[in-house]
């Protein structure tokens, strides 16, 4: 007999997108892959968490200009033609203006998140699972 030790459920997901300037030649494509932009120069905000490792792995030929300061990063985007990344969470905030957001077709651009707890604590945290 196998005893259930954990209770878990899907929580939400985060999706990575390309953010292109309106004059970029790729804006007419419905979606893009990491390979489509691998080798270009892109602006990358340093503090993007787990996305950074994923992006570097899938775009090994890309030259990333890494900016540490969020304010400076956004200023650079306002005054340049660099492609960058954004996520659905940042899009909801409405931070990026005058940019075209393109879906990334690679499955690695979508990350699901789950919540879990020990089965013995299920009742205690049940409100989170609803």
């Amino acid at each position: 007999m196998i005893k259930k030790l954990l209770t878990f459920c899907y929580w939400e997901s985060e999706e990575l997108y390309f953010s292109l300037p309106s004059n970029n030649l790729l804006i007419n494509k419905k979606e893009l892959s990491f390979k489509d932009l691998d080798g270009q120069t892109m602006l990358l905000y340093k503090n993007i968490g787990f996305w950074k490792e994923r992006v570097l792995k899938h775009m090994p030929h890309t030259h990333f200009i890494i900016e540490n300061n969020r304010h400076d990063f956004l200023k650079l985007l306002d005054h340049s033609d660099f492609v960058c990344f954004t996520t659905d969470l940042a899009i909801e905030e409405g931070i990026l203006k005058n940019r075209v957001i393109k879906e990334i077709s690679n499955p690695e651009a979508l990350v699901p998140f789950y919540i879990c707890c020990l089965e013995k604590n299920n009742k205690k945290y049940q409100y989170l699972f609803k």
Side-chain angles (χ1 to χ4, degrees):
M1 180 175 175
I2 298 174
K3 185 174 180 181
K4 185 177 172 185
L5 298 176
L6 296 174
T7 297
F8 68 94
C9 74
Y10 171 81
W11 181 259
E12 64 179 18
S13 63
E14 185 175 14
E15 189 167 2
L16 191 67
Y17 295 87
F18 287 117
S19 173
L20 299 120
S22 59
N23 63 349
N24 190 288
L25 298 175
L26 297 173
I27 64 170
N28 293 321
K29 289 188 79 171
K30 181 179 180 192
E31 61 181 28
L32 299 167
S33 70
F34 290 127
K35 187 176 180 179
D36 290 327
L37 285 136
D38 190 25
Q40 293 193 16
T41 298
M42 293 180 60
L43 189 58
L44 185 68
Y45 179 55
K46 182 179 179 178
N47 299 317
I48 60 170
F50 67 89
W51 288 117
K52 184 177 179 185
E53 180 181 323
R54 195 168 287 216
V55 165
L56 294 175
K57 177 182 176 185
H58 292 285
M59 300 180 75
H61 304 102
T62 300
H63 174 71
F64 289 106
I65 299 171
I66 299 175
E67 178 53 55
N68 297 325
N69 182 287
R70 184 77 172 155
H71 177 76
D72 292 344
F73 173 79
L74 294 172
K75 283 289 184 193
L76 283 168
L77 284 179
D78 280 345
H79 302 291
S80 74
D81 289 336
F82 288 119
V83 174
C84 73
F85 292 100
T86 190
T87 68
D88 49 347
L89 302 177
I91 292 168
E92 289 175 13
E93 294 175 14
I95 295 172
L96 299 174
K97 308 272 191 259
N98 303 318
R99 313 250 335 149
V100 178
I101 306 302
K102 289 293 178 179
E103 191 172 326
I104 300 173
S105 60
N106 304 76
E108 297 84 4
L110 179 66
V111 176
F113 294 98
Y114 296 85
I115 57 171
C116 70
C117 71
L118 294 171
E119 179 62 32
K120 67 181 183 181
N121 295 329
N122 189 2
K123 288 183 181 175
K124 181 178 179 181
Y125 297 110
Q126 191 59 39
Y127 69 96
L128 292 172
F129 291 91
K130 291 184 179 186

PDB file of all heavy atoms in Angstrom, residues 1 26 42 52 57 63 68 70 75-76 114 119:
ATOM      1  N   MET A   1       0.846  -1.184   0.000  1.00  0.00           N
ATOM      2  CA  MET A   1       0.000   0.000   0.000  1.00  0.00           C
ATOM      3  C   MET A   1       0.889   1.244   0.000  1.00  0.00           C
ATOM      4  O   MET A   1       1.821   1.359   0.785  1.00  0.00           O
ATOM      5  CB  MET A   1      -0.907  -0.027   1.221  1.00  0.00           C
ATOM      6  CG  MET A   1      -1.818   1.148   1.319  1.00  0.00           C
ATOM      7  SD  MET A   1      -2.896   0.872   2.740  1.00  0.00           S
ATOM      8  CE  MET A   1      -3.734   2.378   2.763  1.00  0.00           C
ATOM      9  N   LEU A  26      10.418  41.328 -37.480  1.00  0.00           N
ATOM     10  CA  LEU A  26       9.732  40.114 -37.060  1.00  0.00           C
ATOM     11  C   LEU A  26       8.339  40.348 -36.473  1.00  0.00           C
ATOM     12  O   LEU A  26       7.659  39.395 -36.097  1.00  0.00           O
ATOM     13  CB  LEU A  26      10.592  39.360 -36.042  1.00  0.00           C
ATOM     14  CG  LEU A  26      11.936  38.852 -36.563  1.00  0.00           C
ATOM     15  CD1 LEU A  26      12.762  38.277 -35.418  1.00  0.00           C
ATOM     16  CD2 LEU A  26      11.735  37.823 -37.662  1.00  0.00           C
ATOM     17  N   MET A  42      20.426  41.601 -27.505  1.00  0.00           N
ATOM     18  CA  MET A  42      19.191  41.860 -26.763  1.00  0.00           C
ATOM     19  C   MET A  42      19.516  42.496 -25.423  1.00  0.00           C
ATOM     20  O   MET A  42      20.589  42.276 -24.859  1.00  0.00           O
ATOM     21  CB  MET A  42      18.427  40.555 -26.527  1.00  0.00           C
ATOM     22  CG  MET A  42      17.879  39.924 -27.777  1.00  0.00           C
ATOM     23  SD  MET A  42      16.992  38.370 -27.453  1.00  0.00           S
ATOM     24  CE  MET A  42      15.682  38.914 -26.364  1.00  0.00           C
ATOM     25  N   LYS A  52      16.523  33.705 -16.441  1.00  0.00           N
ATOM     26  CA  LYS A  52      17.855  34.021 -16.985  1.00  0.00           C
ATOM     27  C   LYS A  52      18.587  32.753 -17.435  1.00  0.00           C
ATOM     28  O   LYS A  52      19.103  32.697 -18.554  1.00  0.00           O
ATOM     29  CB  LYS A  52      18.686  34.789 -15.967  1.00  0.00           C
ATOM     30  CG  LYS A  52      20.038  35.213 -16.508  1.00  0.00           C
ATOM     31  CD  LYS A  52      20.799  36.045 -15.483  1.00  0.00           C
ATOM     32  CE  LYS A  52      22.150  36.449 -16.020  1.00  0.00           C
ATOM     33  NZ  LYS A  52      22.941  37.150 -15.011  1.00  0.00           N
ATOM     34  N   LYS A  57      20.490  29.341 -21.864  1.00  0.00           N
ATOM     35  CA  LYS A  57      20.611  27.982 -22.384  1.00  0.00           C
ATOM     36  C   LYS A  57      20.061  27.873 -23.805  1.00  0.00           C
ATOM     37  O   LYS A  57      20.655  27.216 -24.657  1.00  0.00           O
ATOM     38  CB  LYS A  57      19.861  27.011 -21.470  1.00  0.00           C
ATOM     39  CG  LYS A  57      19.865  25.583 -21.959  1.00  0.00           C
ATOM     40  CD  LYS A  57      19.059  24.687 -21.047  1.00  0.00           C
ATOM     41  CE  LYS A  57      18.996  23.272 -21.605  1.00  0.00           C
ATOM     42  NZ  LYS A  57      18.132  22.412 -20.795  1.00  0.00           N
ATOM     43  N   HIS A  63      23.986  37.973 -27.891  1.00  0.00           N
ATOM     44  CA  HIS A  63      24.772  38.888 -27.061  1.00  0.00           C
ATOM     45  C   HIS A  63      23.777  39.648 -26.185  1.00  0.00           C
ATOM     46  O   HIS A  63      22.955  40.417 -26.688  1.00  0.00           O
ATOM     47  CB  HIS A  63      25.572  39.864 -27.920  1.00  0.00           C
ATOM     48  CG  HIS A  63      26.262  40.909 -27.105  1.00  0.00           C
ATOM     49  ND1 HIS A  63      27.354  40.632 -26.302  1.00  0.00           N
ATOM     50  CD2 HIS A  63      25.997  42.221 -26.943  1.00  0.00           C
ATOM     51  CE1 HIS A  63      27.721  41.736 -25.690  1.00  0.00           C
ATOM     52  NE2 HIS A  63      26.917  42.717 -26.057  1.00  0.00           N
ATOM     53  N   ASN A  68      21.482  46.097 -14.615  1.00  0.00           N
ATOM     54  CA  ASN A  68      21.186  45.799 -13.211  1.00  0.00           C
ATOM     55  C   ASN A  68      20.030  46.611 -12.644  1.00  0.00           C
ATOM     56  O   ASN A  68      19.317  46.147 -11.774  1.00  0.00           O
ATOM     57  CB  ASN A  68      22.420  46.064 -12.341  1.00  0.00           C
ATOM     58  CG  ASN A  68      23.574  45.180 -12.708  1.00  0.00           C
ATOM     59  OD1 ASN A  68      23.387  44.039 -13.074  1.00  0.00           O
ATOM     60  ND2 ASN A  68      24.775  45.720 -12.634  1.00  0.00           N
ATOM     61  N   ARG A  70      16.500  48.445 -12.714  1.00  0.00           N
ATOM     62  CA  ARG A  70      15.204  48.329 -13.418  1.00  0.00           C
ATOM     63  C   ARG A  70      14.816  49.645 -14.102  1.00  0.00           C
ATOM     64  O   ARG A  70      14.347  49.643 -15.240  1.00  0.00           O
ATOM     65  CB  ARG A  70      14.119  47.895 -12.425  1.00  0.00           C
ATOM     66  CG  ARG A  70      12.772  47.663 -13.056  1.00  0.00           C
ATOM     67  CD  ARG A  70      12.750  46.359 -13.775  1.00  0.00           C
ATOM     68  NE  ARG A  70      11.404  46.062 -14.207  1.00  0.00           N
ATOM     69  CZ  ARG A  70      11.115  45.291 -15.222  1.00  0.00           C
ATOM     70  NH1 ARG A  70      12.070  44.704 -15.894  1.00  0.00           N
ATOM     71  NH2 ARG A  70       9.870  45.066 -15.558  1.00  0.00           N
ATOM     72  N   LYS A  75      14.363  52.722 -19.259  1.00  0.00           N
ATOM     73  CA  LYS A  75      14.783  53.896 -20.035  1.00  0.00           C
ATOM     74  C   LYS A  75      15.482  53.477 -21.325  1.00  0.00           C
ATOM     75  O   LYS A  75      15.251  54.051 -22.392  1.00  0.00           O
ATOM     76  CB  LYS A  75      15.707  54.799 -19.214  1.00  0.00           C
ATOM     77  CG  LYS A  75      14.999  55.638 -18.197  1.00  0.00           C
ATOM     78  CD  LYS A  75      14.205  56.707 -18.895  1.00  0.00           C
ATOM     79  CE  LYS A  75      13.569  57.620 -17.892  1.00  0.00           C
ATOM     80  NZ  LYS A  75      12.560  58.466 -18.501  1.00  0.00           N
ATOM     81  N   LEU A  76      16.359  52.486 -21.222  1.00  0.00           N
ATOM     82  CA  LEU A  76      17.047  51.980 -22.412  1.00  0.00           C
ATOM     83  C   LEU A  76      16.047  51.436 -23.435  1.00  0.00           C
ATOM     84  O   LEU A  76      16.199  51.640 -24.638  1.00  0.00           O
ATOM     85  CB  LEU A  76      18.052  50.891 -22.036  1.00  0.00           C
ATOM     86  CG  LEU A  76      19.363  51.375 -21.433  1.00  0.00           C
ATOM     87  CD1 LEU A  76      20.139  50.205 -20.845  1.00  0.00           C
ATOM     88  CD2 LEU A  76      20.193  52.101 -22.471  1.00  0.00           C
ATOM     89  N   TYR A 114       2.912  25.101  -8.916  1.00  0.00           N
ATOM     90  CA  TYR A 114       2.016  24.274  -8.123  1.00  0.00           C
ATOM     91  C   TYR A 114       2.191  24.633  -6.654  1.00  0.00           C
ATOM     92  O   TYR A 114       3.256  25.083  -6.241  1.00  0.00           O
ATOM     93  CB  TYR A 114       2.349  22.791  -8.312  1.00  0.00           C
ATOM     94  CG  TYR A 114       2.129  22.324  -9.725  1.00  0.00           C
ATOM     95  CD1 TYR A 114       3.112  22.474 -10.696  1.00  0.00           C
ATOM     96  CD2 TYR A 114       0.922  21.742 -10.094  1.00  0.00           C
ATOM     97  CE1 TYR A 114       2.902  22.054 -12.002  1.00  0.00           C
ATOM     98  CE2 TYR A 114       0.703  21.324 -11.396  1.00  0.00           C
ATOM     99  CZ  TYR A 114       1.693  21.479 -12.349  1.00  0.00           C
ATOM    100  OH  TYR A 114       1.483  21.084 -13.627  1.00  0.00           O
ATOM    101  N   GLU A 119       0.375  15.920   3.343  1.00  0.00           N
ATOM    102  CA  GLU A 119      -1.009  15.431   3.440  1.00  0.00           C
ATOM    103  C   GLU A 119      -1.573  15.645   4.846  1.00  0.00           C
ATOM    104  O   GLU A 119      -2.721  16.023   5.006  1.00  0.00           O
ATOM    105  CB  GLU A 119      -1.074  13.960   3.050  1.00  0.00           C
ATOM    106  CG  GLU A 119      -2.452  13.354   3.134  1.00  0.00           C
ATOM    107  CD  GLU A 119      -3.464  13.997   2.214  1.00  0.00           C
ATOM    108  OE1 GLU A 119      -3.104  14.456   1.122  1.00  0.00           O
ATOM    109  OE2 GLU A 119      -4.652  14.051   2.610  1.00  0.00           O
TER     110      GLU A 119
END
